[in-house]
Amino acid sequence: MAAALRPRLPRALRELALYGLASVVALAVDWGLLVVLTRVGVNYLAASAAGFVFGVAVAYGLSIAFVFRDRPVADRRREFLGFLAVGLAGLLLTQGLMALWVEVLDLTPGLAKAPTAALVFLFNFSVRRALLFRAPGVARP
């Protein structure tokens, strides 16, 4: 599917679409762990954090394999640490939103994950693309 999208879409839209597909896989891991762990009695915030961490690992692997062609950070350890830092910022955003939806709006954790995932997806893609996977010669924001 990645090869089919390459020639048809402008780069930014192609990367967004491929990142979306990678994120769907990562979200399945994240959400699945959230649901399984809460059903066995783990606190929803701890379950959300565990799911998010595993989701970040899946997202990174798929992002570097299929999504972003430009990887201007030569040191792969620094690249991963940057990816992880954005993920941790996303985790803070996730935790805050999950608490808001569950505690204030009384949504179930599984349902609360939907708006949380959408907002954190946009945050993660925008920041990761701007800081870690920009084309050569493109200034940082």
Side-chain angles (χ1 to χ4, degrees), residues 4-81:
L5 286 175
R6 284 199 197 284
R8 296 180 185 185
L9 293 174
R11 171 178 252 164
L13 288 178
R14 180 179 61 241
E15 288 177 348
L16 180 63
L18 291 172
Y19 188 79
L21 292 172
S23 293
V24 165
V25 174
L27 178 60
V29 170
D30 178 349
W31 205 326
L33 279 174
L34 169 73
V35 171
V36 168
L37 292 174
T38 56
R39 285 193 180 155
V40 298
V42 175
N43 175 276
Y44 73 91
L45 290 175
S48 179
F52 195 85
V53 167
F54 280 93
V56 165
V58 169
Y60 179 73
L62 293 174
S63 291
I64 62 171
F66 300 109
V67 179
F68 299 108
R69 289 188 312 183
D70 297 315
R71 295 175 66 193
V73 179
D75 182 347
R76 296 302 174 226
R77 291 174 297 191
R78 280 188 46 219
E79 179 186 73
F80 178 75
L81 289 175

Side-chain angles (χ1 to χ4, degrees), residues 51-119:
F52 195 85
V53 167
F54 280 93
V56 165
V58 169
Y60 179 73
L62 293 174
S63 291
I64 62 171
F66 300 109
V67 179
F68 299 108
R69 289 188 312 183
D70 297 315
R71 295 175 66 193
V73 179
D75 182 347
R76 296 302 174 226
R77 291 174 297 191
R78 280 188 46 219
E79 179 186 73
F80 178 75
L81 289 175
F83 197 94
L84 182 60
V86 174
L88 291 174
L91 176 58
L92 290 175
L93 183 57
T94 295
Q95 297 297 74
L97 290 171
M98 287 295 290
L100 172 71
W101 308 139
V102 171
E103 301 295 334
V104 176
L105 299 179
D106 203 31
L107 297 178
T108 64
L111 186 58
K113 189 66 179 178
T116 299
L119 293 170

